[in-house]
Structures are given as structure tokens and as C-alpha cells.
Amino acid sequence: MALNNTYDARLQQETAVGAGVQILLLALLGTAIGLGPAGWLTGLAFAFATWAVLARALHRSRLRSFGPANRVTLGRATLVGGVTALVADSFESSPPVTVLVGLTAVALLLDGVDGKVARRTGTSSALGARFDMEVDAFLILVLSVYVSTQLGAWVLLIGGMRYAFVAAARLAPWLNAPLPPSFARKTVAAVQGIALLVAGAELLPHLANLAIVLLALGSLVWSFGRDVRGLWRTSRVPLRVPDEAPVLELAGR
């Protein structure tokens, strides 16, 4: 019991350090560009929520080590917190687009690093995979909010689709079934962040940004539609119980 408490204390310390780094990043942004109240409050709320949710998840997972891969993901989460603060601040002022694009670009580039680190170090875990996925999903949501101010509210469909799927799964449990690995799904997910980053940078003409984001949304609808159809078909297949199952069960008793 004492050993488990020691491991848990170390894990909680790492999450606390992550929250501290997040606050340090906000302070640096505030000094460099002058974050307004909306940016500060949103950034602090993100830091606290990330710390609280991650600390609880770690306690329940009983992991003995936070692991190098989770540290990379936590670093990405810190960058996403900075992006979130800048996007919130953009409703009151105009933070430098270069800073927002820079933080986003680094967060996207590091997206595949944590997975590779986990595989090479043998520290893959269900918690790490979920942590990585949630950071990705929230970054896409924040970027869609930012780009929606330029192209229209329909862009929010990109960021909200995954959360709508999670909500639908509560009403239709068959949506919770595991999906087979898919390179196409991973590619489509990566395209969303790149497309929103390009549109948010405003380096291309308005029509070009509109076309890029529309294509990204179309690919996302196709990907979700394919997965939902696959899950539906799987849920309709009756579970076959081998004829010898009752005999084996009795023999086990």
C-alpha cells in the first residue's frame, strides 16, 4: 500500500509540474503580447481542468510511472493551452497570428512523436492513447472556433463532430465498440489540423482557405460515416455461441 501511495504521489507531482509549466507559458505570452482577461481566464481554466482530469485518470489507472510518451503529450497539452488562451483573447483583441500558428504547428508536429516514444520504450497504455486523443480533439475544436470567425460557424462542425459522436454513443451503446486500425482514419484526422492551421494563418486567398476547409470537412464526414456504418453492421451480426460451449462450462465446474 505504501509503495502504491509513493507511485501515486510521484504521478501527481508530474501533473502539477505540467500545470505549472502551463501557467509559465501563459505568463510568457502575457509578457510578450499582453494577454487580456479572456485569454488569462481561459488559459488558467484549461490548466486547472487538465491537471484535475489527468490526476484523477492517473490515480484510477494505477500506473507506476508517468512515462516519457505521456510527458511528450503533456508538453503538447501545454502548447494547446497556449493556443486556447490566444483564441479566447482574439475575441477581444488581435494576438499575433505568427505566435498562434507557431504554437499550433509545434503541437501538430509532435502529434506522432508520443506514439513512437511509447512504442520504442515499451510504455504504451490505454491512458496514454486516450490522453493523446483528447489533446488532439481539443486542439481541433479550438482551431475550428478560431477559423469559424473567418469562414463561418459551419467550421465548428469539424471540431464538434467527435464530441457529437461521443454524446451519441451514450444513447446508442453500439457506437462504443472498438474500431479496427485504419490508416485512412489517421490521415483524415491529421488533415483537419493542417487544414485549419493553413486557413487560420490567412496566407492564402479567402476562397482557397474556404476550399481547403470544406475538403477537410468532407473527408471527416466520410470517415465518421464509414466508421458508423461499420459499427452498425457489426452490431447487427448475431453472436454465435459454439455448440460445445455448455459442455465446456459444465466441465469447468
Side-chain angles (χ1 to χ4, degrees), residues 38-226:
W40 269 106
L41 289 175
T42 305
L44 290 174
F46 179 89
F48 177 78
T50 301
W51 168 78
V53 173
L54 185 57
R56 181 180 180 185
L58 285 169
H59 177 71
R60 296 176 64 181
S61 69
R62 298 298 181 182
L63 288 179
R64 291 192 172 187
S65 172
F66 194 64
N70 284 333
R71 293 188 185 100
V72 175
T73 308
L74 185 58
R76 291 181 54 237
T78 300
L79 296 175
V80 172
V83 174
T84 302
L86 291 174
V87 171
D89 203 49
S90 68
F91 288 92
E92 294 183 347
S93 60
S94 299
V97 176
T98 53
V99 177
L100 190 149
V101 170
L103 292 177
T104 303
V106 175
L108 292 175
L109 287 173
L110 290 175
D111 185 16
V113 174
D114 41 15
K116 292 181 180 179
V117 171
R119 289 187 292 271
R120 289 183 179 180
T121 58
T123 55
S124 300
S125 66
L127 173 63
R130 181 64 181 272
F131 185 23
D132 178 56
M133 181 176 62
E134 294 300 339
V135 171
D136 291 341
F138 194 79
L139 176 59
I140 297 302
L141 175 62
V142 172
L143 290 176
S144 67
V145 171
Y146 182 70
V147 177
S148 70
T149 61
Q150 306 165 16
L151 300 180
W154 60 270
V155 182
L156 295 174
L157 291 172
I158 293 178
M161 197 169 299
R162 188 257 173 181
Y163 294 98
F165 180 86
V166 172
R170 293 183 176 274
L171 301 176
W174 54 269
L175 289 172
N176 286 314
L179 287 165
S182 170
F183 178 77
R185 186 188 307 117
K186 293 180 179 180
T187 302
V188 169
V191 164
Q192 306 309 308
I194 296 172
L196 292 171
L197 175 62
V198 171
E202 296 185 279
L203 296 176
L204 301 177
H206 180 81
L207 287 179
N209 289 332
L210 180 63
I212 290 172
V213 178
L214 278 172
L215 287 173
L217 176 59
S219 67
L220 188 63
V221 171
W222 168 81
S223 180
F224 268 95
R226 187 187 67 159

